[in-house]
Amino acid sequence: MKDLFGKAMFDFQTNNSPENLITETSISEKDEMSVDYLFRSYNEMPKIEQKALQMASGKILDVGCGAGSHSLSLQNDRNLEVTSIDISEKAIETCKLRGVKNAKVQNLLDVEEEKFDTIVLLMNGVGIFGKMKNCNQYLSKLKSLLQPGGQILLDSSDIIYMFDEDEDGGKWIPSSTDYYGELVFNISYKEEKEEPFNWLYLDYNTLQNAAVANGLKCELILEGEHYDYLARLSI
């Protein structure tokens, strides 16, 4: 990957003429995303993210930390011990420049020999699963990283609303995917195009079923204003 998301964050942090990211998915048109949104403070975050940060406790793993806004809030506002990981090298460089104390380039599936009290996956945290068929692998990994009594806090959205209805009220779902929340993302930045990547959105019931299948309890904590939600998984 060209790490265009990371480049955009790094450009913003270093004031190197940052531009908006252009995003497009397999079911939506091109849209512009302002990079400064990734640098928001706690007060600027959606209620779902604020609630997750309020609930976080103990030793924390921030998965897909991006520019480090959630990590910084936990580290500086709550004085908690946070390990921040992302597969983007430039994102981690950005985190370090912003003062995140323990940030490293790492894939969740490669985390070994550490246990955490809270694992957070925010901004559609389940997106990193990529496809429905990968849920068991990721949920099993997350479970293995929990301390006794630990918790996983993650958010996602039910994107069924994005599909057209037929005359009977049913939805037109492409037959090319195993689940309607499986999308292919395309990103452009400064006239460069990223390699397309898979990104998953899960409705709450599907997440709950997958969690139970992997020996995890699943609680609906908060619902947002646009089909989004925060869930808590625990053993």
Side-chain angles (χ1 to χ4, degrees):
M1 295 183 73
K2 298 178 182 177
D3 196 10
L4 297 187
F5 244 117
K7 287 180 181 178
M9 294 180 220
F10 192 74
D11 284 349
F12 185 88
Q13 176 63 28
T14 58
N15 200 26
N16 182 32
S17 304
E19 297 179 8
N20 287 346
L21 286 152
I22 308 299
T23 64
E24 185 179 12
T25 78
S26 46
I27 63 167
S28 62
E29 302 292 327
K30 287 183 179 179
D31 193 16
E32 289 195 28
M33 177 183 180
S34 179
V35 183
D36 64 357
Y37 182 70
L38 303 173
F39 290 76
R40 60 202 181 282
S41 67
Y42 175 85
N43 290 333
E44 296 169 323
M45 293 177 190
K47 290 181 180 179
I48 278 179
E49 293 176 23
Q50 291 181 345
K51 181 65 174 177
L53 298 182
Q54 291 166 15
M55 292 178 65
S57 61
K59 184 180 177 183
I60 295 168
L61 178 65
D62 182 2
V63 179
C65 61
S69 294
H70 300 123
S71 294
L72 284 170
S73 179
L74 293 166
Q75 172 189 293
N76 297 342
D77 302 339
R78 303 275 314 282
N79 197 31
L80 294 169
E81 179 186 349
V82 187
T83 299
S84 312
I85 63 172
D86 203 294
I87 61 171
S88 163
E89 292 186 11
K90 285 294 184 183
I92 295 302
E93 285 185 52
T94 301
C95 285
K96 290 177 178 178
L97 287 174
R98 296 185 75 197
V100 177
K101 293 177 182 177
N102 185 16
K104 51 189 174 182
V105 180
Q106 192 170 35
N107 188 307
L108 169 65
L109 298 176
D110 296 329
V111 179
E112 298 287 350
E113 298 177 2
E114 274 193 275
K115 299 281 187 178
F116 300 90
D117 300 296
T118 301
I119 303 174
V120 295
L121 302 92
L122 298 176
M123 288 191 73
N124 187 48
V126 303
I128 64 169
F129 297 3
K131 285 185 171 290
M132 188 70 198
K133 66 182 182 182
N134 299 329
C135 282
N136 289 341
Q137 179 187 21
Y138 277 92
L139 290 173
S140 175
K141 183 64 180 183
L142 288 165
K143 181 182 177 182
S144 75
L145 298 174
L146 283 181
Q147 295 272 25
Q151 61 179 347
I152 302 158
L153 300 169
L154 55 81
D155 64 351
S156 193
S157 300
D158 184 353
I159 62 169
I160 193 68
Y161 72 92
M162 296 184 70
F163 294 89
D164 294 331
E165 281 191 9
D166 60 26
E167 294 177 355
D168 299 322
K171 294 287 187 176
W172 289 98
I173 307 296
S175 59
S176 57
T177 60
D178 292 331
Y179 170 69
Y180 66 82
E182 294 179 353
L183 301 188
V184 177
F185 252 87
N186 289 279
I187 291 173
S188 301
Y189 180 66
K190 291 187 174 180
E191 300 185 355
E192 275 194 277
K193 286 188 176 182
E194 185 61 90
E195 295 295 320
F197 59 92
N198 297 317
W199 194 248
L200 182 67
Y201 289 87
L202 281 180
D203 69 277
Y204 176 72
N205 286 338
T206 300
L207 171 66
Q208 186 177 45
N209 289 338
V212 170
N214 284 276
L216 290 161
K217 299 174 186 174
C218 185
E219 305 167 67
L220 180 62
I221 301 298
L222 187 65
E223 290 184 278
E225 297 175 356
H226 200 66
Y227 307 95
D228 52 334
Y229 64 89
L230 173 67
R232 177 180 183 269
L233 309 185
S234 57
I235 300 172

